[in-house]
Coordinates of all heavy atoms in Angstrom, one line a residue:
S1 N -10.0 -19.9 9.3 CA -9.1 -20.1 8.2 C -9.5 -21.4 7.5 O -10.0 -22.3 8.0 CB -7.7 -20.2 8.8 OG -7.5 -21.4 9.4
D2 N -9.1 -21.4 6.2 CA -9.4 -22.5 5.3 C -8.5 -23.7 5.6 O -8.9 -24.8 5.7 CB -9.4 -22.2 3.9 CG -10.4 -21.1 3.5 OD1 -11.3 -20.9 4.3 OD2 -10.3 -20.5 2.4
S3 N -7.2 -23.4 5.6 CA -6.2 -24.5 5.8 C -4.9 -23.9 6.3 O -4.7 -22.7 6.2 CB -6.0 -25.2 4.5 OG -5.3 -24.4 3.6
P4 N -4.0 -24.7 6.8 CA -2.7 -24.2 7.2 C -2.0 -23.6 6.0 O -1.3 -22.5 6.2 CB -2.0 -25.4 7.7 CG -3.0 -26.4 8.1 CD -4.2 -26.1 7.2
L5 N -2.1 -24.1 4.8 CA -1.5 -23.6 3.6 C -2.0 -22.2 3.3 O -1.3 -21.2 3.0 CB -1.6 -24.5 2.4 CG -1.0 -24.1 1.1 CD1 0.5 -23.9 1.3 CD2 -1.2 -25.0 0.0
A6 N -3.3 -22.0 3.4 CA -3.9 -20.7 3.1 C -3.5 -19.7 4.2 O -3.2 -18.5 3.8 CB -5.5 -20.8 3.1
D7 N -3.3 -20.1 5.4 CA -2.8 -19.2 6.4 C -1.4 -18.8 6.1 O -1.1 -17.6 6.3 CB -2.9 -19.9 7.8 CG -4.3 -20.1 8.4 OD1 -5.2 -19.5 7.9 OD2 -4.4 -20.9 9.3
L8 N -0.6 -19.7 5.7 CA 0.8 -19.4 5.4 C 0.9 -18.5 4.2 O 1.7 -17.5 4.2 CB 1.6 -20.7 5.0 CG 3.1 -20.6 4.7 CD1 3.8 -19.9 5.8 CD2 3.7 -21.9 4.3
E9 N 0.1 -18.7 3.2 CA 0.1 -17.8 2.0 C -0.4 -16.4 2.4 O 0.2 -15.4 2.0 CB -0.9 -18.3 0.9 CG -0.4 -19.6 0.2 CD -1.3 -20.2 -0.7 OE1 -2.6 -19.9 -0.6 OE2 -0.9 -21.0 -1.6
Q10 N -1.4 -16.3 3.3 CA -1.8 -15.0 3.8 C -0.7 -14.3 4.6 O -0.5 -13.1 4.4 CB -3.1 -15.2 4.6 CG -3.7 -13.9 4.9 CD -5.1 -14.0 5.6 OE1 -5.4 -15.1 6.0 NE2 -5.8 -13.0 5.7
M11 N 0.0 -15.1 5.4 CA 1.1 -14.4 6.2 C 2.2 -14.0 5.3 O 2.8 -12.9 5.5 CB 1.6 -15.4 7.2 CG 0.7 -15.6 8.4 SD 1.3 -16.8 9.7 CE 3.0 -17.3 9.2
E12 N 2.5 -14.7 4.3 CA 3.6 -14.4 3.3 C 3.2 -13.1 2.5 O 4.0 -12.2 2.3 CB 3.9 -15.5 2.4 CG 4.7 -16.6 3.1 CD 4.9 -17.8 2.2 OE1 4.3 -17.9 1.1 OE2 5.7 -18.7 2.6
L13 N 2.0 -13.1 2.1 CA 1.5 -11.9 1.4 C 1.5 -10.7 2.2 O 1.9 -9.6 1.8 CB 0.1 -12.2 0.8 CG -0.5 -11.1 0.0 CD1 0.3 -10.8 -1.2 CD2 -1.9 -11.5 -0.5
A14 N 1.1 -10.8 3.5 CA 1.1 -9.7 4.4 C 2.5 -9.2 4.6 O 2.7 -8.0 4.7 CB 0.4 -10.1 5.7
Q15 N 3.4 -10.1 4.7 CA 4.9 -9.7 5.0 C 5.4 -9.0 3.7 O 6.1 -8.0 3.8 CB 5.7 -11.0 5.3 CG 7.1 -10.6 5.5 CD 7.9 -11.9 5.8 OE1 7.5 -13.0 5.5 NE2 9.1 -11.7 6.4
R16 N 5.1 -9.5 2.6 CA 5.5 -8.9 1.3 C 4.9 -7.5 1.1 O 5.6 -6.6 0.8 CB 5.2 -9.8 0.1 CG 5.7 -9.3 -1.2 CD 5.4 -10.2 -2.3 NE 5.9 -9.7 -3.6 CZ 5.5 -10.1 -4.7 NH1 4.7 -11.2 -4.9 NH2 6.0 -9.6 -5.8
L17 N 3.7 -7.4 1.5 CA 3.0 -6.1 1.4 C 3.6 -5.1 2.3 O 3.9 -4.0 1.9 CB 1.5 -6.2 1.6 CG 0.7 -5.0 1.6 CD1 0.8 -4.3 0.3 CD2 -0.8 -5.3 2.0
G18 N 3.9 -5.5 3.6 CA 4.5 -4.6 4.5 C 5.9 -4.2 4.1 O 6.2 -3.0 4.2
Q19 N 6.7 -5.1 3.6 CA 8.0 -4.7 3.1 C 7.9 -3.8 1.9 O 8.7 -2.8 1.8 CB 8.8 -6.0 2.7 CG 9.2 -6.9 3.8 CD 9.8 -8.2 3.4 OE1 9.5 -8.7 2.3 NE2 10.5 -8.8 4.3
S20 N 7.0 -4.0 1.0 CA 6.9 -3.1 -0.2 C 6.4 -1.7 0.3 O 6.9 -0.7 -0.3 CB 5.9 -3.7 -1.2 OG 6.3 -5.0 -1.7
L21 N 5.5 -1.7 1.2 CA 5.0 -0.4 1.6 C 6.1 0.4 2.3 O 6.3 1.6 2.2 CB 3.8 -0.5 2.6 CG 2.5 -0.9 2.0 CD1 1.5 -1.3 3.1 CD2 2.0 0.2 1.1
A22 N 7.0 -0.3 3.0 CA 8.1 0.3 3.7 C 9.2 0.9 2.7 O 9.9 1.8 3.0 CB 8.8 -0.7 4.7
E23 N 9.2 0.3 1.5 CA 10.2 0.8 0.5 C 9.8 2.1 -0.1 O 10.6 2.8 -0.7 CB 10.3 -0.3 -0.6 CG 11.2 -1.4 -0.3 CD 11.4 -2.3 -1.5 OE1 11.7 -1.8 -2.6 OE2 11.2 -3.5 -1.3
L24 N 8.5 2.4 0.0 CA 8.0 3.6 -0.7 C 8.4 4.9 0.1 O 8.5 4.9 1.3 CB 6.5 3.6 -0.8 CG 5.9 2.5 -1.6 CD1 4.4 2.5 -1.5 CD2 6.4 2.5 -3.0
K25 N 8.6 6.0 -0.7 CA 9.0 7.2 -0.1 C 7.7 7.8 0.6 O 6.6 7.7 0.1 CB 9.4 8.2 -1.2 CG 10.7 7.9 -1.8 CD 11.1 8.9 -2.9 CE 12.3 8.5 -3.6 NZ 12.7 9.4 -4.7
P26 N 7.9 8.4 1.8 CA 6.8 9.0 2.5 C 6.2 10.1 1.6 O 6.9 10.8 0.9 CB 7.4 9.5 3.7 CG 8.7 8.8 3.9 CD 9.1 8.4 2.5
P27 N 4.9 10.3 1.7 CA 3.9 9.6 2.4 C 3.2 8.5 1.6 O 2.1 8.1 2.0 CB 2.9 10.7 2.8 CG 2.9 11.6 1.6 CD 4.4 11.5 1.0
L28 N 3.8 8.0 0.5 CA 3.1 7.1 -0.3 C 2.6 5.8 0.4 O 1.4 5.4 0.3 CB 3.9 6.7 -1.6 CG 4.3 7.8 -2.5 CD1 5.2 7.3 -3.6 CD2 3.1 8.5 -3.0
G29 N 3.5 5.2 1.1 CA 3.1 3.9 1.8 C 2.1 4.2 2.9 O 1.1 3.4 3.0
E30 N 2.2 5.3 3.6 CA 1.2 5.6 4.7 C -0.1 5.9 4.1 O -1.2 5.4 4.6 CB 1.7 6.8 5.5 CG 2.9 6.6 6.3 CD 4.2 6.9 5.5 OE1 4.2 7.1 4.3 OE2 5.3 6.9 6.2
I31 N -0.2 6.6 3.0 CA -1.5 6.9 2.4 C -2.1 5.6 1.7 O -3.3 5.4 1.9 CB -1.3 8.0 1.3 CG1 -1.1 9.3 2.1 CG2 -2.6 8.2 0.4 CD1 -0.8 10.5 1.2
L32 N -1.3 4.8 1.1 CA -1.8 3.5 0.6 C -2.4 2.7 1.7 O -3.5 2.1 1.6 CB -0.8 2.7 -0.1 CG -0.4 3.2 -1.5 CD1 0.8 2.4 -2.1 CD2 -1.6 3.1 -2.5
S33 N -1.7 2.6 2.8 CA -2.1 1.9 4.0 C -3.4 2.4 4.6 O -4.4 1.7 4.9 CB -1.0 1.8 5.0 OG -1.4 1.1 6.1
D34 N -3.5 3.7 4.7 CA -4.7 4.4 5.2 C -5.9 4.1 4.4 O -6.9 3.8 4.9 CB -4.5 5.9 5.3 CG -3.6 6.4 6.4 OD1 -3.3 5.6 7.3 OD2 -3.1 7.5 6.3
F35 N -5.7 4.1 3.1 CA -6.8 3.9 2.1 C -7.2 2.5 2.1 O -8.4 2.1 2.3 CB -6.5 4.5 0.8 CG -7.7 4.5 -0.1 CD1 -8.8 5.4 0.0 CD2 -7.8 3.6 -1.2 CE1 -9.8 5.4 -0.9 CE2 -8.8 3.6 -2.1 CZ -9.9 4.4 -1.9
F36 N -6.3 1.6 1.7 CA -6.6 0.2 1.4 C -6.7 -0.7 2.6 O -7.5 -1.6 2.7 CB -5.6 -0.4 0.4 CG -5.8 0.2 -1.0 CD1 -4.8 1.1 -1.5 CD2 -6.8 -0.1 -1.8 CE1 -5.0 1.7 -2.7 CE2 -7.0 0.4 -3.1 CZ -6.0 1.3 -3.5
L37 N -5.9 -0.5 3.6 CA -5.9 -1.3 4.8 C -6.8 -0.9 5.9 O -7.3 -1.7 6.7 CB -4.4 -1.5 5.3 CG -3.4 -2.1 4.3 CD1 -2.1 -2.3 4.9 CD2 -3.9 -3.5 3.8
H38 N -6.9 0.5 6.1 CA -7.6 1.0 7.2 C -9.0 1.6 6.7 O -9.8 2.0 7.6 CB -6.8 2.1 7.9 CG -5.5 1.5 8.4 ND1 -5.4 0.6 9.4 CD2 -4.2 1.8 8.0 CE1 -4.2 0.3 9.7 NE2 -3.4 1.0 8.8
G39 N -9.2 1.7 5.4 CA -10.5 2.1 4.9 C -10.8 3.6 5.1 O -12.0 3.9 5.2
L40 N -9.8 4.4 5.3 CA -10.1 5.8 5.5 C -10.5 6.5 4.1 O -10.1 6.1 3.1 CB -8.8 6.6 6.0 CG -8.3 6.1 7.4 CD1 -7.1 6.9 7.8 CD2 -9.4 6.2 8.4
R41 N -11.3 7.5 4.3 CA -11.8 8.3 3.1 C -10.7 9.4 2.8 O -9.9 9.6 3.6 CB -13.1 9.0 3.4 CG -14.2 7.9 3.5 CD -15.6 8.5 3.9 NE -15.4 9.1 5.3 CZ -15.7 10.3 5.6 NH1 -16.2 11.2 4.8 NH2 -15.6 10.7 6.9
Y42 N -10.8 9.9 1.6 CA -9.8 10.9 1.2 C -9.7 12.0 2.2 O -8.6 12.5 2.5 CB -10.2 11.5 -0.2 CG -9.8 10.7 -1.4 CD1 -9.8 9.3 -1.4 CD2 -9.5 11.3 -2.6 CE1 -9.4 8.5 -2.5 CE2 -9.1 10.6 -3.7 CZ -9.1 9.2 -3.7 OH -8.8 8.5 -4.8
E43 N -10.9 12.5 2.6 CA -10.9 13.6 3.6 C -10.2 13.3 4.9 O -9.5 14.1 5.4 CB -12.3 14.0 3.9 CG -13.1 14.6 2.7 CD -13.7 13.5 1.8 OE1 -13.6 12.3 2.1 OE2 -14.1 13.9 0.7
E44 N -10.4 12.0 5.4 CA -9.7 11.6 6.6 C -8.2 11.5 6.4 O -7.4 11.9 7.3 CB -10.3 10.2 7.0 CG -11.8 10.3 7.4 CD -12.4 8.9 7.6 OE1 -12.2 8.0 6.7 OE2 -13.1 8.7 8.6
I45 N -7.8 11.0 5.3 CA -6.4 10.8 5.0 C -5.8 12.2 4.9 O -4.7 12.5 5.4 CB -6.2 10.0 3.7 CG1 -6.6 8.6 3.9 CG2 -4.7 10.1 3.3 CD1 -6.7 7.8 2.6
A46 N -6.4 13.1 4.2 CA -5.9 14.5 4.0 C -5.7 15.1 5.4 O -4.6 15.8 5.6 CB -6.8 15.3 3.2
K47 N -6.6 15.0 6.3 CA -6.5 15.6 7.6 C -5.4 14.9 8.4 O -4.6 15.6 9.0 CB -7.9 15.5 8.3 CG -7.8 16.2 9.6 CD -9.2 16.1 10.3 CE -9.2 16.8 11.7 NZ -10.5 16.8 12.3
K48 N -5.4 13.6 8.3 CA -4.4 12.9 9.1 C -2.9 13.1 8.6 O -2.0 13.2 9.4 CB -4.7 11.4 9.0 CG -3.7 10.5 9.7 CD -4.2 9.0 9.6 CE -3.2 8.1 10.3 NZ -3.6 6.7 10.2
R49 N -2.7 13.2 7.3 CA -1.4 13.4 6.7 C -1.1 14.8 6.4 O 0.0 15.1 5.9 CB -1.3 12.5 5.5 CG -1.5 11.1 5.7 CD -0.4 10.5 6.5 NE -0.8 9.1 6.9 CZ -0.1 8.4 7.8 NH1 0.9 8.9 8.4 NH2 -0.5 7.2 8.1
S50 N -2.0 15.8 6.7 CA -1.8 17.2 6.4 C -1.4 17.5 4.9 O -0.4 18.1 4.6 CB -0.7 17.8 7.3 OG -1.0 17.6 8.7
V51 N -2.3 16.9 4.1 CA -2.1 17.2 2.6 C -3.5 17.6 2.1 O -4.5 17.4 2.8 CB -1.7 15.9 1.9 CG1 -0.3 15.5 2.3 CG2 -2.6 14.7 2.0
A52 N -3.5 18.2 1.0 CA -4.8 18.6 0.4 C -5.6 17.4 -0.1 O -5.0 16.4 -0.5 CB -4.5 19.5 -0.8
V53 N -6.9 17.5 0.0 CA -7.8 16.4 -0.3 C -7.5 16.0 -1.8 O -7.4 14.8 -2.1 CB -9.2 16.7 -0.1 CG1 -10.1 15.7 -0.7 CG2 -9.5 17.0 1.3
G54 N -7.3 16.9 -2.7 CA -7.0 16.7 -4.1 C -5.7 15.9 -4.3 O -5.5 15.2 -5.3
S55 N -4.8 16.0 -3.4 CA -3.5 15.4 -3.5 C -3.6 13.9 -3.1 O -2.7 13.1 -3.5 CB -2.5 16.1 -2.6 OG -2.2 17.4 -3.1
V56 N -4.6 13.5 -2.3 CA -4.7 12.1 -1.8 C -4.7 11.2 -3.0 O -4.0 10.2 -3.1 CB -5.9 11.9 -0.9 CG1 -6.1 10.5 -0.6 CG2 -5.6 12.7 0.4
G57 N -5.6 11.5 -4.0 CA -5.7 10.7 -5.2 C -4.4 10.6 -6.0 O -4.0 9.5 -6.5
V58 N -3.7 11.7 -6.1 CA -2.4 11.6 -6.7 C -1.4 10.8 -6.0 O -0.6 10.0 -6.6 CB -1.8 13.1 -6.9 CG1 -0.4 13.1 -7.4 CG2 -2.8 14.0 -7.7
Y59 N -1.4 10.9 -4.7 CA -0.5 10.0 -3.9 C -0.8 8.5 -4.1 O 0.0 7.7 -4.2 CB -0.5 10.4 -2.4 CG 0.3 11.6 -2.1 CD1 -0.3 12.7 -1.5 CD2 1.7 11.7 -2.3 CE1 0.4 13.9 -1.2 CE2 2.4 12.8 -2.0 CZ 1.8 13.9 -1.5 OH 2.5 15.0 -1.1
L60 N -2.1 8.2 -4.1 CA -2.6 6.9 -4.3 C -2.1 6.3 -5.7 O -1.6 5.2 -5.7 CB -4.1 6.7 -4.2 CG -4.7 6.9 -2.7 CD1 -6.2 6.9 -2.8 CD2 -4.2 5.7 -1.9
K61 N -2.3 7.1 -6.7 CA -1.9 6.7 -8.0 C -0.4 6.5 -8.1 O 0.1 5.4 -8.6 CB -2.3 7.8 -9.0 CG -1.9 7.4 -10.5 CD -2.4 8.6 -11.4 CE -2.2 8.3 -12.8 NZ -0.8 8.4 -13.3
R62 N 0.4 7.4 -7.6 CA 1.8 7.2 -7.5 C 2.3 6.0 -6.7 O 3.2 5.3 -7.1 CB 2.5 8.5 -7.0 CG 2.4 9.7 -8.0 CD 3.1 10.9 -7.4 NE 2.9 12.0 -8.3 CZ 3.1 13.3 -7.9 NH1 3.5 13.6 -6.7 NH2 2.9 14.3 -8.7
G63 N 1.6 5.9 -5.6 CA 1.9 4.7 -4.7 C 1.7 3.4 -5.4 O 2.5 2.5 -5.3
L64 N 0.5 3.3 -6.1 CA 0.2 2.1 -6.8 C 1.1 1.8 -7.9 O 1.5 0.6 -8.1 CB -1.2 2.1 -7.3 CG -2.3 2.0 -6.2 CD1 -3.7 2.3 -6.8 CD2 -2.3 0.7 -5.5
E65 N 1.5 2.8 -8.6 CA 2.5 2.6 -9.7 C 3.8 2.2 -9.1 O 4.5 1.3 -9.7 CB 2.7 4.0 -10.5 CG 1.5 4.4 -11.3 CD 1.6 5.8 -11.8 OE1 2.5 6.5 -11.4 OE2 0.8 6.1 -12.7
A66 N 4.3 2.7 -8.0 CA 5.5 2.3 -7.4 C 5.4 0.8 -6.9 O 6.4 0.1 -7.0 CB 5.9 3.2 -6.2
M67 N 4.3 0.5 -6.3 CA 4.1 -0.9 -5.9 C 4.1 -1.9 -7.0 O 4.7 -3.0 -6.9 CB 2.7 -1.1 -5.2 CG 2.6 -0.4 -3.8 SD 3.6 -1.1 -2.6 CE 2.6 -2.6 -2.2
R68 N 3.6 -1.5 -8.2 CA 3.6 -2.4 -9.4 C 5.1 -2.6 -9.8 O 5.5 -3.7 -10.2 CB 2.8 -1.8 -10.5 CG 1.3 -1.9 -10.3 CD 0.6 -1.4 -11.5 NE -0.8 -1.3 -11.2 CZ -1.5 -0.2 -11.0 NH1 -0.8 1.0 -11.0 NH2 -2.7 -0.1 -10.7
R69 N 5.9 -1.5 -9.8 CA 7.3 -1.6 -10.1 C 8.0 -2.5 -9.1 O 8.8 -3.3 -9.6 CB 7.9 -0.2 -10.2 CG 7.6 0.6 -11.4 CD 8.5 1.8 -11.5 NE 8.4 2.7 -10.4 CZ 7.5 3.7 -10.2 NH1 6.6 3.9 -11.2 NH2 7.5 4.5 -9.2
I70 N 7.8 -2.3 -7.9 CA 8.5 -3.1 -6.8 C 8.1 -4.6 -7.0 O 9.0 -5.5 -7.1 CB 8.1 -2.7 -5.4 CG1 8.7 -1.3 -5.1 CG2 8.5 -3.7 -4.4 CD1 8.2 -0.6 -3.9
W71 N 6.8 -4.9 -7.2 CA 6.4 -6.3 -7.3 C 6.9 -6.9 -8.7 O 7.2 -8.1 -8.7 CB 4.9 -6.4 -7.1 CG 4.5 -6.3 -5.7 CD1 5.0 -5.4 -4.8 CD2 3.6 -7.1 -5.0 NE1 4.4 -5.6 -3.6 CE2 3.5 -6.6 -3.7 CE3 2.7 -8.1 -5.3 CZ2 2.7 -7.1 -2.7 CZ3 1.8 -8.6 -4.4 CH2 1.8 -8.1 -3.0
G72 N 6.9 -6.1 -9.7 CA 7.4 -6.5 -11.0 C 8.9 -6.9 -10.9 O 9.4 -7.8 -11.4
R73 N 9.7 -6.0 -10.2 CA 11.1 -6.2 -10.0 C 11.3 -7.5 -9.2 O 12.2 -8.3 -9.5 CB 11.7 -5.0 -9.2 CG 13.1 -5.1 -8.9 CD 13.6 -4.1 -7.8 NE 12.9 -4.4 -6.6 CZ 12.6 -3.5 -5.6 NH1 12.8 -2.3 -5.8 NH2 12.1 -3.9 -4.5
D74 N 10.5 -7.7 -8.1 CA 10.7 -8.9 -7.3 C 10.3 -10.1 -8.1 O 11.0 -11.2 -7.9 CB 9.7 -8.8 -6.1 CG 10.2 -7.7 -5.1 OD1 11.3 -7.2 -5.2 OD2 9.4 -7.4 -4.2
E75 N 9.4 -10.1 -8.9 CA 9.0 -11.3 -9.8 C 10.0 -11.6 -10.8 O 10.2 -12.8 -11.1 CB 7.7 -11.0 -10.5 CG 6.5 -10.6 -9.6 CD 5.5 -11.7 -9.4 OE1 5.4 -12.5 -10.4 OE2 4.9 -11.8 -8.4
N76 N 10.7 -10.6 -11.2 CA 11.8 -10.9 -12.3 C 13.1 -11.2 -11.6 O 14.1 -11.6 -12.3 CB 12.0 -9.6 -13.1 CG 10.8 -9.3 -14.0 OD1 10.1 -10.3 -14.4 ND2 10.5 -8.1 -14.3
S77 N 13.2 -11.2 -10.3 CA 14.5 -11.5 -9.7 C 14.7 -13.0 -9.5 O 13.8 -13.7 -9.4 CB 14.6 -10.9 -8.3 OG 14.5 -9.5 -8.4

């Protein structure tokens, strides 16, 4: 770690991310987490979540849009 302040910022960001993902309707949060946090490929996510491979991209797009709304709402509060 770089500094105690950097560690704190990272912990706060991780907490905010976790809370935001939990606000999403299933399976959006799970699919975003699988892709961005766990590095799974579309095929792996599709098999794990029992969705079509073509739907994974749609879920990612919708999930990112929802995250932008959540974070925009939080910033304006």
Side-chain angles (χ1 to χ4, degrees):
S1 74
D2 297 346
S3 71
L5 182 58
D7 290 343
L8 180 60
E9 289 174 343
Q10 189 172 14
M11 284 180 7
E12 288 175 347
L13 182 58
Q15 181 181 17
R16 183 177 180 193
L17 179 60
Q19 289 171 341
S20 298
L21 288 171
E23 283 186 47
L24 299 177
K25 293 180 183 177
L28 298 180
E30 292 89 352
I31 289 177
L32 284 174
S33 179
D34 286 343
F35 186 74
F36 289 106
L37 301 179
H38 303 291
L40 297 182
R41 293 175 292 127
Y42 278 34
E43 295 82 8
E44 295 169 314
I45 296 169
K47 184 176 180 180
K48 180 178 179 180
R49 301 291 170 194
S50 300
V51 298
V53 174
S55 296
V56 173
V58 174
Y59 283 121
L60 288 172
K61 181 178 183 284
R62 289 179 185 166
L64 288 172
E65 289 169 351
M67 290 289 284
R68 286 186 194 102
R69 284 192 301 274
I70 290 169
W71 285 40
R73 177 195 69 208
D74 292 347
E75 301 252 333
N76 293 331
S77 298

